Structure formats: C-alpha cells, structure tokens
Amino acid sequence: MKHNRLIIETDIPAKMRDGVTLYADIYRPADEGTYPVLLTRLPYSKSYGLHFIRPNILAEQGYIVIVQDVRGRYASEGEFVPYIAEVDDGYDTIEWAASLPYSNGDVGMFGLSYYGYTQVLAALSGNTHLKAIAPIMAQNSMTDVFNDHDGALELGMWETWNLESMLPNMLTRKYDTREELEKAANTLMKNLDKLDELYKFKPYKNWPAIGQKEMPYFSELLNYEPTHNHWQKIDAKSNYDKINVPGLHVAGWYDCFLDKTIANFQNGHHRGLGDKLIIGPWTHANFGQMIGDRDFGMAATKWGEANMHARHLEWFNHWLKQEPLPETARVNYFVMGLNDWKTADTWPPQNTDFTPLYFKTGEVIADFTPPKQASEANFSYDPENPVPSNGGGTLHKELHADGPRDQQHLELRDDILCYTTAPLEGDLEVTGPVQVKLWAKTDAPNTDFTAKLVDVFPDGTAFNLADGIIRASKQHGNQVQNQINEYTIDLWATSNLFKKGHQIRIEISSSNFPRFDPNPNTGDSFINSTESQIAHQTIYHSPDYPSHILLPISR
C-alpha cells in the first residue's frame, strides 16, 4: 500500500543516556496506525539529502523514516569524535525510535559509508528492537581504514575527509562571530584548492590545514597506536559475535571499504543470519556505469542507484513486515571485462582455484610455472619522490583519484617493477580475494612494499584492478633491515575477465601517495618526523624464494 500523504517533522529531540540531545527529521505516513522504523544516523547533515536513497520514498511504502544528526554534528548537541559515541547513541536512538507513539517497535537501519558503520556499531549494542540493517560500502573498524592499513596510514582519506566533510560544520560550532567564521571559511576553501600540495606537508601532526581549536581529535588520533583502547569500543571485526541481525551489504571493486564490506557479509553469512552481498564495479558512493576511465555498460546499474530503493524495500519488507524475500542468490557480483553479473552462494565463489602466477626475469616475466633458476630485481625507493596514486579504492581529492585508470605513464618510473605475462591464448576469469607473496630485502630499518594487479589491453592500455601495501615492520617487527623476508600483500578482491590477447601484469613498488603515507625508511614515520632516507630494495624469484601473486581463477 502506498501512502500518498506524509507528515514531515523536523528537529525532533532524542535525549541520550548522558543528557546530550540529538535531533532528527521524521518522515511518516499521515494515515493512522503504527509502522516499523527505518533509521539512519549520519554526520553530513540530516537536511543535506541522502543522495542514494530518499526518505520520502521509503515513508510512502509504510515506514517511519528517521534521519538523525550524530553527536556533535549540525543540529545535535555534544562533541564529535569519529564513531566513539555511536554504539551507545545508536542503542539509545533505537530505543527512542521504538517507543514513538506511531512506531510498532521494530527498527531497521540504512545508510552508506559513515552512516553504514553507524548501523554496524548500533548492531553491536545489542538493542533487540533492531531487526535488520543495510550497511552500504561500510567498514568494520576505524584503524583499518585510518592508521593501520596493513601498517600504513590512509593519509589521503584522513586528510581529505576531515578537511572537506568534517571541518565546515565544526567551524560554525567553534567560531562565535561572523567575521571569525568567514575568515576560517575562506581559508578552508583556499586549502581545498591546494590540497595536492598540502598532502606533501609533514609532519602530519602539524598539518596546517586543520587547527587544534577547530578539530582537536585530528592530530591526537594520529598518534594512537592501533592497539590503543580508544579503538576497541568501535571495532566491529573483533566483536562480530555481538552482531545478531541480518545485513544487506553493497560493495564496489574500487571502493575504499571493499574488503571490510565483504568481511561484514561473511560474518553474518557464516553465522546463518541471512546476510546478502552485492559487489559492483563502483567507486565510493558511485553506482553508475562510467567508473574512472572505463565504461562498464548499462548492466553495471542493475543493482545500482536506479534500483537502490527497490532493493532496500524488498529487504526491509521481509525483515520488518514478514513479506517473502524475492528468490535471489546470497552473492551477486559484477565481472569486469565480461561486463555482466554472476551469482554465488558464498564468498569467494565455490568454483575458485587459487593459482600462483610466478615472477621471473627474461622476455616474459610472469607465468604459471614455478621458477627453476634464481634471479632478482632491484629498485630504489625515495620517500621524497613517491609513486603517485593513480586510481584504485581511494577516498581523496586529486586528479585521477579513484577507479580504473591507465597506468602506462607510471610504469615508466624506475621505482616500479612490472611483471607481465605473454598475451593470453584464451579468456581467463579472476574472481575472489587476491594476495601477493613477495620475498624481498631492504637496506633500510623499515620500508613498505606495494603491489598492483593490472589488465593490459592489446593496445597497451593498462587498467588497475586491485592494489595493496605492507609496512615491513607490521609483519616482521625489527627483523627487516638486510633480511630476506616473505611479505604478504593483501590486494583485497576483484572480479575481472582477462580476455584473449590481454596480458596480466603485477606492479611492485614501495609507495602509493597520497593514498598511503610514504614510509621514510628510517624506522620512524612522517606523523612526527620529517627525516627520510632512500631504501634500496631487492625482489627475489627463485625455487627458494618464489615470489608470486595468488590469483583466484574461476573454473
């Protein structure tokens, strides 16, 4: 039944357990009766418009839709520190929403990115009124998407998100006079225009684009180790057993939270909660067919923005209204190159053969046979001249920031090794998690190694598919300098059809800036230091040190 008349109420207060009041807008049917609640809690303003899903469309279908500013943002009281209050505030808001006179007591949650993770954290709270969630492109921890991406700092994401998305509202809360606010706002706009230069500033703790008065947590959190107790309360991956509601998870092959969204699905799926997973060729919050430099065709939009409302309504109608859920597979994923969708009962798909592609030297320097002879390759990594980020699962402001981009111009650099197969004699589908096993040595006290999986077209165009990084000390502690170590580089996952005549390429280097903070190679980091040194890297490929990429080949 569609409800043609809605009641929209704005700035409705909800008091949290510590006395802080949060404010929400409520959209609900004008017809009498009680209805289930769909709640979203976001830091980007309840009135800014949910670009991927509209509250009025959900309300027309018989839901009370509540859009709430989280603590310390826009209309809501309190101090904002990313995620730290979202477990308790999530519980209290669900309790409040369930008790509204027009509510039937059942609550679902929806939202993307930050307001995808507010759902996961609310699920951790154990509120029994929460029946289902739909976390779109959401994470499962704070550290893994901030200061511990396999040991590296997600520099571009941290600086861009705080400057572009968080700071504007914080300025209005910190400055009392119009003159002060206008001055601060003008500075903000100038800094956004020169963000490419600001990424290079170090030490990061003194980043001039954000002042201590404006955003106290910015520098403070930089120096919290991943084991700091600050993170434990807002870490879902170590508390998955507390999540007991089903989730509809949507991810993108080029999304900055891809592996976290997959992990969220796997938790619920393995525990039989009823979770579902959709993975498209998308970047963060972009569900179209034009992604980066590639056109993935109209099929890319099948599960995208045009159908997002339908997918949400099917999901919530089942869990909140006991309607049948359409018969669809647990996993729907888009195969790039094929440019169409496939289904699976689990992730990764069951027909996956994890096959090593070995690195070698010679005319063809990557193939599926183990090396019989010992060889090595060398390059030097200069932290003052890092490899520029060029596409991928990024979330920062820069030219060619995300998605698939042609890598040819980067591959001319001396600090990138390219391991490439011969042209393929037939189509080869790679679908699933991807890892590089790298035997390497550095002469530095600490360093990084990066890897990138690339699809090389017959004309030479080289599109990135997946990439990753490992900070040497993350896996080997103090046993790094002048040691031959095996490094595991997690490239997360992909699904791509390498067509006949294409080539598979793996790039190996030591930096990807500004996506990740460059390792200064000194044993310190640029969070607190400006000192650096050049590292001389050796990559081994031999029977004893068989460096390779482990490809999930579909059979």
Tab-separated table of all heavy atoms in Angstrom, residues 465-495:
chain	number	residue	atom	x	y	z
A	465	LEU	N	43.293	-3.060	-11.339
A	465	LEU	CA	42.152	-3.819	-10.819
A	465	LEU	C	42.124	-3.848	-9.302
A	465	LEU	O	41.062	-3.727	-8.687
A	465	LEU	CB	42.185	-5.254	-11.348
A	465	LEU	CG	42.054	-5.423	-12.852
A	465	LEU	CD1	42.375	-6.854	-13.244
A	465	LEU	CD2	40.666	-5.035	-13.330
A	466	ALA	N	43.267	-4.042	-8.679
A	466	ALA	CA	43.347	-4.158	-7.226
A	466	ALA	C	44.765	-3.811	-6.805
A	466	ALA	O	45.717	-4.000	-7.571
A	466	ALA	CB	42.984	-5.567	-6.778
A	467	ASP	N	44.911	-3.300	-5.589
A	467	ASP	CA	46.257	-2.977	-5.106
A	467	ASP	C	46.314	-3.110	-3.595
A	467	ASP	O	45.289	-3.243	-2.919
A	467	ASP	CB	46.684	-1.566	-5.538
A	467	ASP	CG	45.756	-0.487	-5.026
A	467	ASP	OD1	45.670	-0.307	-3.800
A	467	ASP	OD2	45.111	0.186	-5.854
A	468	GLY	N	47.534	-3.091	-3.070
A	468	GLY	CA	47.718	-3.219	-1.626
A	468	GLY	C	49.093	-2.768	-1.204
A	468	GLY	O	49.940	-2.411	-2.033
A	469	ILE	N	49.320	-2.777	0.105
A	469	ILE	CA	50.575	-2.325	0.689
A	469	ILE	C	50.862	-3.138	1.936
A	469	ILE	O	49.938	-3.666	2.574
A	469	ILE	CB	50.489	-0.812	1.046
A	469	ILE	CG1	51.874	-0.236	1.401
A	469	ILE	CG2	49.480	-0.568	2.170
A	469	ILE	CD1	51.884	1.294	1.500
A	470	ILE	N	52.124	-3.273	2.282
A	470	ILE	CA	52.505	-3.835	3.569
A	470	ILE	C	53.668	-3.018	4.121
A	470	ILE	O	54.625	-2.706	3.394
A	470	ILE	CB	52.885	-5.327	3.471
A	470	ILE	CG1	53.109	-5.912	4.869
A	470	ILE	CG2	54.099	-5.550	2.590
A	470	ILE	CD1	51.906	-5.935	5.750
A	471	ARG	N	53.545	-2.609	5.350
A	471	ARG	CA	54.661	-1.977	6.061
A	471	ARG	C	55.505	-3.101	6.632
A	471	ARG	O	55.002	-3.977	7.345
A	471	ARG	CB	54.141	-1.035	7.139
A	471	ARG	CG	55.215	-0.208	7.812
A	471	ARG	CD	54.749	1.213	8.087
A	471	ARG	NE	54.536	1.956	6.829
A	471	ARG	CZ	54.122	3.218	6.786
A	471	ARG	NH1	53.871	3.889	7.888
A	471	ARG	NH2	53.950	3.820	5.614
A	472	ALA	N	56.786	-3.097	6.303
A	472	ALA	CA	57.645	-4.238	6.623
A	472	ALA	C	57.591	-4.599	8.106
A	472	ALA	O	57.504	-5.775	8.470
A	472	ALA	CB	59.078	-3.933	6.189
A	473	SER	N	57.618	-3.602	8.970
A	473	SER	CA	57.616	-3.862	10.408
A	473	SER	C	56.307	-4.470	10.881
A	473	SER	O	56.256	-5.104	11.937
A	473	SER	CB	57.886	-2.568	11.171
A	473	SER	OG	56.909	-1.585	10.857
A	474	LYS	N	55.228	-4.302	10.124
A	474	LYS	CA	53.939	-4.872	10.502
A	474	LYS	C	54.008	-6.390	10.532
A	474	LYS	O	53.401	-7.034	11.389
A	474	LYS	CB	52.859	-4.415	9.511
A	474	LYS	CG	51.487	-5.021	9.715
A	474	LYS	CD	50.789	-4.447	10.918
A	474	LYS	CE	49.380	-4.981	11.044
A	474	LYS	NZ	48.678	-4.465	12.234
A	475	GLN	N	54.784	-6.976	9.611
A	475	GLN	CA	54.893	-8.431	9.546
A	475	GLN	C	56.169	-8.966	10.188
A	475	GLN	O	56.198	-10.110	10.622
A	475	GLN	CB	54.801	-8.898	8.090
A	475	GLN	CG	53.401	-8.789	7.522
A	475	GLN	CD	53.265	-9.396	6.134
A	475	GLN	OE1	54.250	-9.756	5.500
A	475	GLN	NE2	52.033	-9.490	5.657
A	476	HIS	N	57.211	-8.135	10.255
A	476	HIS	CA	58.495	-8.685	10.707
A	476	HIS	C	59.151	-7.876	11.819
A	476	HIS	O	60.319	-8.122	12.137
A	476	HIS	CB	59.450	-8.820	9.514
A	476	HIS	CG	58.983	-9.814	8.497
A	476	HIS	ND1	59.019	-11.171	8.712
A	476	HIS	CD2	58.408	-9.645	7.281
A	476	HIS	CE1	58.531	-11.803	7.653
A	476	HIS	NE2	58.142	-10.900	6.776
A	477	GLY	N	58.428	-6.944	12.416
A	477	GLY	CA	58.945	-6.219	13.570
A	477	GLY	C	60.279	-5.565	13.293
A	477	GLY	O	60.438	-4.828	12.310
A	478	ASN	N	61.261	-5.860	14.124
A	478	ASN	CA	62.606	-5.282	13.972
A	478	ASN	C	63.494	-6.086	13.030
A	478	ASN	O	64.624	-5.675	12.752
A	478	ASN	CB	63.292	-5.181	15.348
A	478	ASN	CG	62.564	-4.229	16.280
A	478	ASN	OD1	62.037	-3.212	15.840
A	478	ASN	ND2	62.537	-4.550	17.579
A	479	GLN	N	62.986	-7.216	12.537
A	479	GLN	CA	63.796	-8.086	11.677
A	479	GLN	C	63.581	-7.738	10.214
A	479	GLN	O	63.079	-8.536	9.421
A	479	GLN	CB	63.443	-9.549	11.945
A	479	GLN	CG	63.566	-9.978	13.374
A	479	GLN	CD	64.971	-9.795	13.911
A	479	GLN	OE1	65.949	-10.228	13.278
A	479	GLN	NE2	65.101	-9.170	15.064
A	480	VAL	N	63.944	-6.518	9.844
A	480	VAL	CA	63.682	-6.026	8.498
A	480	VAL	C	64.961	-5.729	7.737
A	480	VAL	O	65.183	-6.247	6.630
A	480	VAL	CB	62.786	-4.757	8.549
A	480	VAL	CG1	62.682	-4.114	7.165
A	480	VAL	CG2	61.400	-5.100	9.078
A	481	GLN	N	65.812	-4.920	8.301
A	481	GLN	CA	66.981	-4.415	7.570
A	481	GLN	C	67.927	-5.551	7.178
A	481	GLN	O	68.337	-6.368	7.997
A	481	GLN	CB	67.730	-3.392	8.419
A	481	GLN	CG	68.777	-2.608	7.661
A	481	GLN	CD	69.283	-1.420	8.479
A	481	GLN	OE1	69.243	-1.425	9.706
A	481	GLN	NE2	69.775	-0.398	7.795
A	482	ASN	N	68.214	-5.603	5.854
A	482	ASN	CA	69.144	-6.578	5.274
A	482	ASN	C	68.725	-8.034	5.517
A	482	ASN	O	69.569	-8.938	5.512
A	482	ASN	CB	70.571	-6.347	5.804
A	482	ASN	CG	71.108	-5.000	5.384
A	482	ASN	OD1	70.911	-4.556	4.252
A	482	ASN	ND2	71.796	-4.327	6.302
A	483	GLN	N	67.425	-8.240	5.695
A	483	GLN	CA	66.886	-9.589	5.866
A	483	GLN	C	66.026	-9.949	4.658
A	483	GLN	O	65.235	-9.133	4.188
A	483	GLN	CB	66.008	-9.656	7.124
A	483	GLN	CG	66.697	-9.272	8.409
A	483	GLN	CD	67.630	-10.368	8.919
A	483	GLN	OE1	67.326	-11.563	8.778
A	483	GLN	NE2	68.747	-9.983	9.492
A	484	ILE	N	66.190	-11.186	4.164
A	484	ILE	CA	65.260	-11.665	3.135
A	484	ILE	C	64.021	-12.178	3.848
A	484	ILE	O	64.073	-13.162	4.587
A	484	ILE	CB	65.888	-12.774	2.270
A	484	ILE	CG1	67.147	-12.257	1.570
A	484	ILE	CG2	64.878	-13.281	1.246
A	484	ILE	CD1	67.868	-13.325	0.750
A	485	ASN	N	62.913	-11.488	3.654
A	485	ASN	CA	61.658	-11.834	4.326
A	485	ASN	C	60.567	-12.117	3.306
A	485	ASN	O	60.579	-11.571	2.201
A	485	ASN	CB	61.190	-10.681	5.226
A	485	ASN	CG	62.048	-10.522	6.468
A	485	ASN	OD1	62.447	-11.509	7.089
A	485	ASN	ND2	62.337	-9.281	6.842
A	486	GLU	N	59.631	-12.938	3.717
A	486	GLU	CA	58.437	-13.143	2.911
A	486	GLU	C	57.366	-12.159	3.366
A	486	GLU	O	57.023	-12.099	4.546
A	486	GLU	CB	57.907	-14.566	3.065
A	486	GLU	CG	56.614	-14.826	2.292
A	486	GLU	CD	56.026	-16.192	2.570
A	486	GLU	OE1	56.675	-17.003	3.248
A	486	GLU	OE2	54.886	-16.428	2.120
A	487	TYR	N	56.843	-11.382	2.425
A	487	TYR	CA	55.804	-10.398	2.733
A	487	TYR	C	54.509	-10.808	2.035
A	487	TYR	O	54.517	-11.172	0.853
A	487	TYR	CB	56.226	-9.004	2.261
A	487	TYR	CG	57.429	-8.462	2.994
A	487	TYR	CD1	58.710	-8.582	2.460
A	487	TYR	CD2	57.283	-7.854	4.234
A	487	TYR	CE1	59.818	-8.097	3.141
A	487	TYR	CE2	58.385	-7.356	4.921
A	487	TYR	CZ	59.651	-7.482	4.373
A	487	TYR	OH	60.741	-6.996	5.050
A	488	THR	N	53.420	-10.742	2.777
A	488	THR	CA	52.096	-10.980	2.206
A	488	THR	C	51.421	-9.633	1.997
A	488	THR	O	51.216	-8.876	2.950
A	488	THR	CB	51.235	-11.854	3.127
A	488	THR	OG1	51.876	-13.119	3.302
A	488	THR	CG2	49.851	-12.060	2.527
A	489	ILE	N	51.102	-9.323	0.753
A	489	ILE	CA	50.434	-8.065	0.417
A	489	ILE	C	49.006	-8.389	0.021
A	489	ILE	O	48.760	-9.110	-0.951
A	489	ILE	CB	51.155	-7.331	-0.724
A	489	ILE	CG1	52.645	-7.166	-0.409
A	489	ILE	CG2	50.508	-5.964	-0.970
A	489	ILE	CD1	53.454	-6.528	-1.542
A	490	ASP	N	48.049	-7.859	0.779
A	490	ASP	CA	46.636	-8.127	0.548
A	490	ASP	C	46.087	-7.106	-0.446
A	490	ASP	O	46.062	-5.906	-0.162
A	490	ASP	CB	45.888	-8.034	1.875
A	490	ASP	CG	44.430	-8.453	1.772
A	490	ASP	OD1	43.981	-8.777	0.650
A	490	ASP	OD2	43.741	-8.460	2.805
A	491	LEU	N	45.658	-7.602	-1.603
A	491	LEU	CA	45.075	-6.734	-2.629
A	491	LEU	C	43.547	-6.746	-2.561
A	491	LEU	O	42.880	-6.299	-3.492
A	491	LEU	CB	45.535	-7.160	-4.029
A	491	LEU	CG	46.910	-6.675	-4.509
A	491	LEU	CD1	48.038	-7.213	-3.642
A	491	LEU	CD2	47.142	-7.081	-5.961
A	492	TRP	N	43.015	-7.252	-1.460
A	492	TRP	CA	41.578	-7.340	-1.234
A	492	TRP	C	40.935	-8.306	-2.217
A	492	TRP	O	41.127	-9.495	-2.088
A	492	TRP	CB	40.936	-5.960	-1.267
A	492	TRP	CG	41.338	-5.068	-0.137
A	492	TRP	CD1	42.179	-5.404	0.902
A	492	TRP	CD2	40.937	-3.720	0.080
A	492	TRP	NE1	42.312	-4.328	1.752
A	492	TRP	CE2	41.567	-3.291	1.281
A	492	TRP	CE3	40.111	-2.839	-0.601
A	492	TRP	CZ2	41.373	-2.001	1.802
A	492	TRP	CZ3	39.923	-1.562	-0.099
A	492	TRP	CH2	40.549	-1.153	1.094
A	493	ALA	N	40.197	-7.832	-3.219
A	493	ALA	CA	39.478	-8.756	-4.105
A	493	ALA	C	39.134	-8.061	-5.408
A	493	ALA	O	39.151	-6.826	-5.509
A	493	ALA	CB	38.196	-9.247	-3.426
A	494	THR	N	38.816	-8.868	-6.405
A	494	THR	CA	38.366	-8.337	-7.691
A	494	THR	C	37.576	-9.402	-8.421
A	494	THR	O	37.536	-10.574	-8.004
A	494	THR	CB	39.553	-7.866	-8.545
A	494	THR	OG1	39.073	-7.069	-9.640
A	494	THR	CG2	40.346	-9.043	-9.096
A	495	SER	N	36.950	-9.003	-9.515
A	495	SER	CA	36.365	-9.953	-10.469
A	495	SER	C	36.552	-9.352	-11.848
A	495	SER	O	35.984	-8.304	-12.166
A	495	SER	CB	34.880	-10.187	-10.184
A	495	SER	OG	34.349	-11.120	-11.107
